[in-house]
Amino acid sequence: MTTATACAKCILLGEHAVVYDRPALAVPVSSLRVTATLESNNTPVLELVADDLGETILVTPDILARSAQALVVIVRETLHALGQPLFGGRLVISSKIPIASGLGSGAAISTAIVRVITTHLGLTLSTDHINQLVYKTETLYHGTPSGIDNTVIAFEKPVYFKRGMPLELLSIHNPFTLLIADTGVAASTRVSVGHVRELHDANPALSETRMDAVAALVERARTAIESGESSALGTAMDENHALLQQLEVSSPELDRLVTAARSAGALGAKLSGGGMGGNMIALVTPEQASSVAAALRQAGAVRVIETTVSGS
Ligand code: MEV
């Protein structure tokens, strides 16, 4: 049996604007992972079992050639990249990453599948190549992905990401602590990205101004991270949340958690990912972490994860 894993991600600043070619910052969440296991057998069918998605797909050569389902597409892309035919077996995916919550579960599932098939066949693919394969499935989840989710997950490093530009790793001066709190409201990135697109098309000039404002915050936050100024990072996060509210991708549940974190002393707080539900993040000192986490639970968070972001 072969096993491979992939991490979750969280966007620090710049979500949505990154779709419009502005920069964004994202970090891996290594404690939350997808695990894929693969065992060959002598049937002609590859059974794909995704318990968390409630899906079992029997992949025959015909289905492999024609299916548009993300799980099958990533198997097809991987085998094609490796120059290998379909083989019989059972590939089981189990994920600790909540679905539709802004933590990159789709990209993590695809990454784990590429890795497990590649390792199982005793072959290798570069991280860049894995990243490109996973990007193809991201387009199935929402039409215009920036590529930030697959990039941070494939490389499992903090990144400064701008579409079409060479990847830049973030250098982190002082490790910092984040709380990631889940509203418990499932939200589709496709829907939130589509909503921002509608606002953009209705008033392109206003939308571009907002995207520029987000980009300026991303640059400020990058400087703060690279020089270890936590309070400046927190302020940039707060301002980014306000801009995301203007883009109409926040929600009452997200706003409630953001307010609770700030009232409990967090240095900054904002929604993270597609929004309209899903997760928010709060920047805290290690000493504050448990009291801010308690305040977040009190304000309705169904799950709070603490993670330390350290150097690349
Ligand atoms: C989703 O994690 C991040 C968004 O900016 C979409 C994307 O970048 O493709 C909302």
Side-chain angles (χ1 to χ4, degrees):
M1 170 138 55
T2 311
T3 300
T5 70
C7 65
K9 69 89 185 48
C10 102
I11 295 189
L12 290 182
L13 282 99
E15 53 276 271
H16 288 291
V18 69
V19 173
Y20 298 81
D21 298 336
R22 296 336 189 260
L25 308 179
V27 298
V29 183
S30 296
S31 58
L32 271 186
R33 305 192 79 83
V34 171
T35 301
T37 57
L38 175 54
E39 242 174 327
S40 307
N41 57 34
N42 52 13
T43 69
V45 172
L46 181 65
E47 186 185 1
L48 284 179
V49 183
D51 285 336
D52 315 273
L53 305 174
E55 258 183 280
T56 294
I57 306 169
L58 297 177
V59 185
T60 60
D62 189 45
I63 288 178
L64 184 71
R66 294 211 248 133
S67 176
Q69 281 178 281
L71 293 178
V72 181
V73 170
I74 194 65
V75 171
R76 179 166 67 231
E77 292 294 336
T78 306
L79 290 172
H80 180 73
L82 296 170
Q84 296 292 312
L86 182 65
F87 56 88
R90 188 162 198 266
L91 196 167
V92 180
I93 298 134
S94 64
S95 180
K96 297 262 180 280
I97 309 173
I99 294 156
S101 70
L103 297 179
S105 67
I109 288 171
S110 296
T111 304
I113 291 176
V114 180
R115 287 180 177 155
V116 82
I117 293 176
T118 307
T119 309
H120 190 73
L121 294 172
L123 299 169
T124 50
L125 286 173
S126 69
T127 308
D128 253 330
H129 202 157
I130 294 173
N131 191 22
Q132 284 164 29
L133 297 178
V134 175
Y135 179 77
K136 292 194 187 177
T137 58
E138 288 290 282
T139 61
L140 302 172
Y141 291 114
H142 71 96
T144 54
S146 63
I148 190 168
D149 288 12
N150 44 284
T151 301
V152 68
I153 288 168
F155 286 90
E156 204 166 335
K157 301 260 194 236
V159 298
Y160 170 94
F161 177 91
K162 197 169 171 189
R163 184 148 65 173
M165 302 295 281
L167 179 62
E168 292 183 50
L169 298 181
L170 256 185
S171 91
I172 298 187
H173 192 276
N174 291 334
F176 54 90
T177 306
L178 288 178
L179 297 175
I180 305 173
D182 195 340
T183 59
V185 178
S188 149
T189 304
R190 179 183 284 278
V191 171
S192 65
V193 168
H195 185 67
V196 173
R197 175 67 61 193
E198 277 167 25
L199 291 183
H200 180 83
D201 291 348
N203 191 340
L206 177 61
S207 178
E208 289 292 335
T209 307
R210 287 174 176 154
M211 302 307 176
D212 284 341
V214 174
L217 291 176
V218 168
E219 299 301 344
R220 263 172 49 196
R222 181 184 192 175
T223 306
I225 290 169
E226 295 190 337
S227 55
E229 295 159 27
S230 300
S231 67
L233 173 58
T235 309
M237 288 167 60
D238 287 343
E239 290 180 33
N240 194 174
H241 186 72
L243 285 161
L244 288 160
Q245 286 174 317
Q246 290 175 25
L247 294 176
E248 299 176 2
V249 292
S250 193
S251 70
E253 294 83 2
L254 283 164
D255 289 343
R256 191 161 56 239
L257 296 186
V258 165
T259 304
R262 289 179 191 154
S263 307
L267 302 170
K270 62 181 279 295
L271 72 84
S272 178
M276 293 183 161
N279 279 269
M280 56 75 69
I281 54 174
L283 178 68
V284 293
T285 62
E287 298 72 34
Q288 286 173 324
S290 58
S291 57
V292 177
L296 286 165
R297 285 194 199 93
Q298 180 77 28
V302 297
R303 188 179 42 84
V304 181
I305 295 167
E306 182 180 335
T307 186
T308 301
V309 180
S310 52
S312 49

